[in-house]
Amino acid sequence: ARGSSALSSASSDAQLGRRQALFGAASLPTASLIASSPANAGGSCDVDKKTFEDGLKSKIGTIMSDCVLKDPPGGTWKDRCIRAFGKPEGGKACMTRCVMSYTQISKPCADCWGGLAQCTYDNCAMNCLTPDSKECTSCTASFCDKNFESCSGIKL
């Protein structure tokens, strides 16, 4: 019985670590977006430029965190994106749907945000336990930012 208790505790610790990593991954854009703006080059978010200029860029990090940790609009705890990461491209698809439901931005633009979240989870989750840390921003700069910027037309 003692061994199963130790296994249960180790499993709980591992789950907590993954949740913290995912929360960090979802929170990543918050700091970098405050200074960003849609690029002049074409991108999937060009059609949504006015929405970003009207204040969405300062809220997207919170929205992405909410998609991971809270029930999405019209959904339940079963629809939280934290449950989708770990499945191939599951996090991306969930984050895309959730960001669209919160913001009403176009699907191509929301796909870029979903891709950023999935990339961060896949490549930088352990570095992003503290989203604004140098380790996190350096990791996402190395692995994720260029694809996001190319997809969206938004400079991080």
Side-chain angles (χ1 to χ4, degrees):
R2 248 202 248 161
S4 68
S5 174
L7 283 176
S8 176
S9 177
S11 176
S12 293
D13 290 348
Q15 282 184 330
L16 178 61
R18 285 192 298 270
R19 284 187 186 125
Q20 288 172 329
L22 188 54
F23 177 73
S27 299
L28 175 67
T30 306
S32 58
L33 266 179
I34 292 172
S36 71
S37 60
N40 291 331
S44 294
C45 294
D46 285 354
V47 72
D48 302 295
K49 182 178 180 180
K50 178 144 178 49
T51 303
F52 282 93
E53 290 172 351
D54 289 346
L56 179 59
K57 71 181 178 181
S58 67
K59 298 174 188 167
I60 194 75
T62 300
I63 290 168
M64 291 182 70
S65 291
D66 287 352
C67 287
V68 171
L69 299 172
K70 296 181 180 179
D71 300 348
T76 68
W77 66 272
K78 291 181 180 180
D79 302 313
R80 293 177 186 179
C81 291
I82 195 167
R83 300 171 52 88
F85 284 92
K87 299 173 189 169
E89 297 296 308
K92 177 182 179 179
C94 185
M95 292 296 287
T96 296
R97 283 190 306 274
C98 186
V99 167
M100 285 175 57
S101 70
Y102 274 109
T103 65
Q104 308 304 312
I105 61 174
S106 66
K107 183 176 184 324
C109 183
D111 279 338
C112 299
W113 292 104
L116 177 63
Q118 185 71 52
C119 179
T120 302
Y121 176 81
D122 290 344
N123 296 291
C124 302
M126 295 311 293
N127 293 348
C128 291
L129 294 174
T130 303
D132 295 330
S133 70
K134 182 178 179 180
E135 294 82 11
C136 183
T137 56
S138 175
C139 185
T140 57
S142 295
F143 290 100
C144 305
D145 290 3
K146 285 182 185 174
N147 284 341
F148 171 78
E149 291 169 3
S150 175
C151 176
S152 68
I154 296 172
K155 176 88 171 111
L156 291 177

